[in-house]
Amino acid sequence: MWSRKELKKKGRGIIRKHYWRAVAVSFIIAFLAGNYNGTFTAVFSYDPSREITSVIQENLVFDVHGVRERELVDLLLSGLEEQSRDAEEFIRNSPYTRGVFATVFNYSMATGSVFTGIAVMLLKPIVKGRWLSLLAAGAGAALLFFWWLLVRNILQVGNCRFYLEAETYRNTGGNRIFFLYKIRKVWKTARVILRKFLYQYLWSFTIVGGWIKGYSYMMVPYLAAENPNITGREAIRISRSMMQGNKWDAFLLDCSFLGWSLLSFFTFGLVNIFYANPYKAAARAELYLKLRRLALENEAEYAYVFNDKYLDCPPSEEVLRAALRRAASMEERPDWRELEAEAQKVPLDVLEEYPFALFTVPGGEKRWHLGIDYHCTYGLTGLILLFFVFSFTGWCWEVGLHLVQKGTFVNRGVFHGPWLPIYGSGGVLVLVLLKKLRDRPVATFFMTMALCGTVEYVTSWFLEVTHDGVRWWDYSGYFLNLNGRICAEGLLIFGIGGCAFIYILAPLIMNGVIRKIPVKVRALLCVALISLFVSDMVYTSGHPHVGAGISKEVSEAVWEEGGKVCASE
């Protein structure tokens, strides 16, 4: 059979080989998926009584995604009311007071996870008795359900996958927690975990049934991590078979970590973050691997489900090289022959990382595309016209946003005309400078954020220096802002908008509109627009476009009032 000492020893081996990756993975899972009770509450909102409760719940009561022996109404209202009070206290002392990101960050830090933080934020109207907001809260609850179903549960299965691979392969990447998105098995796996949750929740209405079934169904996420094609009914049946005669020992395994949790209590959660959470996850993964090996050795009737033979047994170099060649030949790229030749001669280390080219579920490997020719060329007149198109689009966005927020129409921007050149400049720059990254949308997204952020910061600084301390935007109070010139929320919008510009809008406008304009007419149109723009620039130099809702004068004498930095409008 197996022993706790053996599993924990192997778990420690995983931590030694992958320490910083394991810490990072467990941190992300704790933050986004809400695993590991008390990890953040101990650090950001320390309360000894709640921490002791978390320690006991983490080790002595199996976590059914936060649903234990409590009524649903108490879970949604009483629990949220307590968390809402803690959140309000944290928010009062937070330096971030503006923007959606600031609100999400404050509530998430105050409650201990992104999921719980958003729940408290959206359901707070119900807790405070504002029943007229019930509809909005219901919509928020629906969004949270899909977050729980398609993000939280999927990341938990990905967490299992990371530790299963880390036992054998020494360079297992932390991105394994997202592997279900890559192979496009999110919805199928979500149904498996949903069935597990429903079964376990119904059993929780009995005296100890929920606790016992928690251990009966303990292997379900690991089964989904190895075999994403498994059904919920099958996963539950096989998990029950695997845990037959092992539930009590698994409970004792959890209890053996009680000392680590108590030590984390005395170190304000730091032991959990930097050792205990990865240690527990590694040991539980080792339990699955041990039971899996026993089932294969004994030729159990359900052994067919363990179809990932390279999970704990690396392939030979010949098998891996053949798989890489096959994967290269299936790439929808013009240089696939070069990739195939490279796969033939590249040095291989079969123990380096899991051979995803040999994974049992192919998918997600095809080249990303939208069916739009985003590799089209634009030419000088095309770039000039696109500059004005997106300058005007940016102006509409800023004016519309102010109209929705303040209820008044304001001609936003530095110039008097209907254009914001910072949007046009950013659009042209991402088209020209990021041309070689267009086949890599993730890299394009982050480089667009970096490029547009640089343009926005430099423009803000230049305008403030040349206009005696006048600012046309100020992100002070936003989450992760830099000198009030840029912020994370704005950069995210630039990243999304820039990708939409590169992959959809620019090629559609160029091929569908601009190319249909005769060349001479196109040139005259460019000359006319440039003339109007230069005229506006000359006029603005002598008559700055400033005022309420447009610009803000930043006083040199900045004072503090009530702990907040104030500036004169």
Side-chain angles (χ1 to χ4, degrees):
M1 293 298 290
W2 57 274
S3 67
R4 295 191 300 276
K5 183 177 180 180
E6 174 192 6
L7 297 185
K8 296 176 76 172
K9 180 180 179 180
K10 289 187 175 182
R12 290 192 297 271
I14 291 177
I15 302 305
R16 282 194 297 271
K17 289 189 295 184
H18 309 273
Y19 177 73
W20 287 111
R21 288 175 183 171
V23 169
V25 165
S26 296
F27 187 88
I28 292 171
I29 296 299
F31 189 69
L32 292 180
N35 275 20
Y36 313 119
N37 293 332
T39 295
F40 292 108
T41 53
V43 176
F44 294 107
S45 53
Y46 178 68
D47 181 338
S49 61
R50 286 194 307 155
E51 180 63 15
I52 292 173
T53 302
S54 294
V55 168
I56 295 173
Q57 290 177 337
E58 175 70 27
N59 292 277
L60 300 183
V61 183
F62 191 83
D63 187 359
V64 193
H65 299 298
V67 180
R68 297 183 177 87
E69 306 297 329
R70 301 171 59 184
E71 295 293 333
L72 184 59
V73 174
D74 177 61
L75 174 70
L76 291 178
L77 298 183
S78 301
L80 286 174
E81 185 174 10
E82 178 185 353
Q83 291 175 333
S84 182
R85 287 195 300 268
D86 297 333
E88 297 295 342
E89 181 180 355
F90 180 90
I91 291 169
R92 280 195 294 270
N93 300 317
S94 173
Y96 307 115
T97 58
R98 301 167 60 195
V100 176
F101 275 21
T103 305
V104 173
F105 173 81
N106 289 335
Y107 277 97
S108 300
M109 288 296 97
T111 57
S113 76
V114 172
F115 181 82
T116 308
I118 296 176
V120 173
M121 179 180 68
L122 294 179
L123 299 182
K124 188 174 66 171
I126 297 180
V127 174
K128 292 191 173 182
R130 300 174 189 171
W131 293 101
L132 292 179
S133 301
L134 181 61
L135 182 61
L143 290 175
L144 285 172
F145 169 74
F146 284 105
W147 171 278
W148 172 84
L149 184 67
L150 303 176
V151 177
R152 178 175 176 170
N153 290 336
I154 299 305
L155 290 181
Q156 287 175 341
V157 174
N159 185 53
C160 296
R161 181 74 198 187
F162 170 80
Y163 284 101
L164 292 178
E165 291 184 18
E167 201 262 7
T168 301
Y169 299 93
R170 56 173 173 264
N171 194 29
T172 301
N175 60 352
R176 283 294 186 261
I177 62 176
F178 305 109
F179 89 105
L180 287 170
Y181 298 103
K182 181 177 181 180
I183 65 173
R184 301 170 187 175
K185 291 294 181 181
V186 172
W187 182 241
K188 189 175 185 66
T189 304
R191 295 202 304 269
V192 172
I193 304 301
L194 178 61
R195 180 184 288 267
K196 168 185 176 290
F197 169 79
L198 292 175
Y199 279 27
Q200 195 167 339
Y201 179 71
L202 292 175
W203 274 105
S204 69
F205 287 101
T206 62
I207 298 177
V208 294
W211 175 79
I212 295 175
K213 291 300 178 180
Y215 283 100
S216 290
Y217 307 152
M218 188 177 182
M219 296 295 112
V220 169
Y222 294 95
L223 289 165
E226 176 175 357
N227 187 350
N229 283 322
I230 197 171
T231 65
R233 187 185 300 274
E234 189 177 31
I236 288 175
R237 177 181 65 82
I238 294 174
S239 178
R240 290 176 57 191
S241 298
M242 294 176 69
M243 294 302 294
Q244 184 69 33
N246 292 294
K247 291 187 285 293
W248 178 251
D249 290 328
F251 168 70
L252 295 179
L253 175 64
D254 284 347
C255 289
S256 68
F257 292 104
L258 182 59
W260 285 105
S261 296
L262 291 174
L263 182 59
S264 184
F265 160 62
F266 289 112
T267 57
F268 304 99
L270 294 178
V271 168
N272 265 344
I273 293 174
F274 290 103
Y275 192 76
N277 289 343
Y279 187 16
K280 297 172 191 174
R284 289 176 177 176
E286 288 292 345
L287 174 59
Y288 172 79
L289 290 172
K290 181 64 177 179
L291 296 179
R292 176 183 184 274
R293 292 181 188 118
L294 290 173
L296 290 171
E297 291 172 3
N298 297 328
E299 298 182 350
E301 58 87 16
Y302 55 84
Y304 66 90
V305 78
F306 307 122
N307 61 351
D308 189 354
K309 62 180 180 179
Y310 302 113
L311 187 61
D312 60 351
C313 181
S316 66
E317 183 175 332
E318 292 75 18
V319 170
L320 180 55
R321 197 175 296 280
L324 292 176
R325 290 199 305 270
R326 185 168 57 253
S329 65
M330 295 176 65
E331 284 280 352
E332 296 179 3
R333 293 176 52 168
D335 60 342
W336 67 268
R337 293 187 183 277
E338 289 80 359
L339 293 176
E340 187 177 21
E342 182 181 354
Q344 178 67 28
K345 59 185 179 181
V346 65
L348 294 178
D349 183 350
V350 296
L351 288 173
E352 184 69 11
E353 61 180 338
Y354 178 86
F356 230 76
L358 290 169
F359 190 49
T360 55
V361 182
E365 301 295 336
K366 294 183 179 180
R367 178 184 163 193
W368 183 88
H369 64 89
L370 291 170
I372 298 174
D373 181 21
Y374 51 81
H375 283 292
C376 66
T377 56
Y378 295 97
L380 180 60
T381 56
L383 291 174
I384 292 173
L385 292 176
L386 286 172
F387 169 83
F388 285 104
V389 167
F390 286 94
S391 294
F392 176 72
T393 302
W395 180 83
C396 293
W397 164 261
E398 294 281 355
V399 170
L401 193 63
H402 190 276
L403 183 63
V404 171
Q405 293 177 340
K406 305 296 183 181
T408 57
F409 175 86
V410 174
N411 181 19
R412 301 275 292 169
V414 179
F415 295 90
H416 292 77
W419 38 48
L420 290 175
I422 190 172
Y423 284 88
S425 301
V428 170
L429 285 175
V430 297
L431 282 178
V432 174
L433 299 181
L434 305 182
K435 182 178 180 179
K436 294 184 178 180
L437 295 177
R438 290 181 193 172
D439 283 330
R440 300 164 59 190
V442 175
T444 297
F445 173 77
F446 286 107
M447 287 302 297
T448 300
M449 290 177 60
L451 182 59
C452 292
T454 301
V455 171
E456 186 177 32
Y457 189 94
V458 172
T459 303
S460 172
W461 172 83
F462 177 78
L463 290 173
E464 185 177 340
V465 169
T466 56
H467 291 80
D468 299 323
V470 177
R471 283 190 180 183
W472 273 263
W473 61 87
D474 187 359
Y475 297 119
S476 298
Y478 279 77
F479 177 59
L480 292 182
N481 75 86
L482 183 58
N483 298 327
R485 304 187 192 283
I486 58 176
C487 69
E489 195 165 322
L491 294 181
L492 179 64
I493 293 174
F494 279 134
I496 296 172
C499 287
F501 180 40
I502 292 171
Y503 294 111
I504 303 175
L505 300 180
L508 287 179
I509 294 172
M510 187 67 202
N511 295 324
V513 179
I514 295 177
R515 291 193 189 280
K516 295 181 179 179
I517 302 174
V519 176
K520 291 184 178 180
V521 176
R522 200 187 310 170
L524 289 174
L525 185 58
C526 289
V527 172
L529 288 171
I530 292 174
S531 300
L532 289 173
F533 184 76
V534 171
S535 300
D536 192 354
M537 184 184 300
V538 173
Y539 179 78
T540 300
S541 64
H543 304 81
H545 188 225
V546 295
I550 301 172
S551 62
K552 177 178 181 179
E553 294 183 7
V554 182
S555 172
E556 294 182 1
V558 180
W559 69 92
E560 291 191 2
E561 178 181 327
K564 301 294 181 183
V565 178
C566 303
S568 60
E569 288 274 355

